[in-house]
Amino acid sequence: MKVLMINGSPRVNGNTSIALGEMKKVFEAEGVEAEIVQVGNKDVRGCIACRRCAELGKCVFDDVVNELAPKFEEADGLVIASPVYYASANATLIATLDRLFFSTHFDKSMKVGASVVCARRGGCSATFDELNKYFTITNMPIASSQYWNSIHGREQGEANEDEEGKQTMRVLARNMTFLMKSIALGKEKFGLPETEEHAWTHFIR
Ligand SMILES: Cc1cc2nc3c(=O)[nH]c(=O)nc-3n(C[C@H](O)[C@H](O)[C@H](O)COP(=O)(O)O)c2cc1C
């Protein structure tokens, strides 16, 4: 069982890393392999809507997005984590996620998703909602915790002092593990839910 964790912070060993580190310890204790990939410090451009991915099966820009794609395909769960910038997610992370979700065509249904946000003070729940939207358009159930998944800190390392934030992350990782294991059993017993051909309509017709 594997989890891919994407860190949208540009700061290596920043506060978002502390949240993900707290989760990783739990995953490993539960026998779940966890890999963290930091994207916030990489040069990632946004989607240009060229739609070449429909022919290529991957993004036309060969960067970390195409490295993440096979890891995401293999994973049972995906954690996306961001520092809060202006009450929103980090722009590099959004560029990565737009292109990752748009350019990959493997079935993501029943891979478990979880979002994590980190801020000095405000904008956590808006950012949390923003990140969860990637899951809820791809048949991915969302793991939750005992609070919205946020941790607080400004300077590097300050999140270490947020005991409630760290506990939220540990509980989240345990809940996510339970969901992934339960879904694996459910798939064996019942199979994946029946699918329908996607009806693509537009508001102009
Ligand atoms: C450009 C920028 C915008 C920010 N906007 C917010 C904000 O809207 N709300 C907030 O509470 N903190 C804001 N912060 C503070 C960061 O969220 C905070 O320092 C966080 O710990 C960074 O996480 P990291 O160490 O993982 O990068 C902002 C920081 C930067 C650099």
Side-chain angles (χ1 to χ4, degrees):
M1 193 142 277
K2 283 187 184 169
V3 171
L4 173 63
M5 307 169 90
I6 303 178
N7 184 352
S9 170
R11 291 206 289 200
V12 176
N13 301 323
N15 292 317
T16 310
S17 299
I18 290 168
L20 292 181
E22 209 63 19
M23 291 182 76
K24 193 168 191 262
K25 277 186 263 172
V26 172
F27 286 135
E28 285 169 354
E30 301 262 359
V32 175
E33 203 182 303
E35 181 181 1
I36 301 175
V37 179
Q38 185 144 12
V39 300
N41 54 354
K42 296 206 163 56
D43 192 9
V44 184
R45 61 156 309 133
C47 177
I48 59 163
C50 67
R51 295 181 180 262
R52 288 289 310 284
C53 52
E55 302 152 37
L56 300 171
K58 61 178 185 174
C59 186
V60 71
F61 300 118
D62 209 13
D63 59 13
V64 70
V65 171
N66 288 344
E67 289 166 30
L68 286 168
K71 295 178 195 281
F72 183 16
E73 184 168 15
E74 231 192 291
D76 303 282
L78 177 70
V79 178
I80 51 184
S82 186
V84 174
Y85 283 5
Y86 291 93
S88 179
N90 170 280
T92 308
L93 178 67
I94 292 300
T96 303
L97 294 174
D98 284 354
R99 288 177 43 221
L100 179 66
F101 276 77
F102 199 72
S103 67
T104 52
H105 305 121
F106 55 82
D107 185 16
K108 299 167 185 72
S109 46
M110 299 303 142
K111 289 181 186 292
V112 178
S115 300
V116 165
V117 298
C118 169
R120 178 186 75 83
R121 192 168 183 85
C124 287
S125 67
T127 308
F128 181 62
D129 292 345
E130 179 186 8
L131 295 179
N132 282 332
K133 301 243 168 45
Y134 290 93
F135 306 133
T136 46
I137 196 171
T138 41
N139 298 300
M140 290 177 66
I142 297 176
S144 59
S145 185
Q146 60 197 18
Y147 196 86
W148 301 303
N149 310 331
S150 53
I151 197 161
H152 290 269
R154 181 183 181 186
E155 301 308 332
Q156 253 165 321
E158 280 182 356
N160 258 324
E161 290 162 48
D162 180 1
E163 286 307 330
E164 184 174 355
K166 287 197 294 181
Q167 185 178 57
T168 302
M169 300 305 147
R170 293 192 297 273
V171 172
L172 173 62
R174 264 180 233 116
N175 290 350
M176 189 169 175
T177 302
F178 176 81
L179 264 181
M180 290 188 297
K181 288 181 177 170
S182 303
I183 286 171
L185 283 177
K187 274 194 210 168
E188 264 177 44
K189 194 162 164 54
F190 308 113
L192 283 171
E194 193 183 318
T195 55
E196 292 191 19
E197 197 177 326
H198 203 130
W200 295 103
T201 59
H202 306 259
F203 293 120
I204 52 163
R205 56 177 187 204

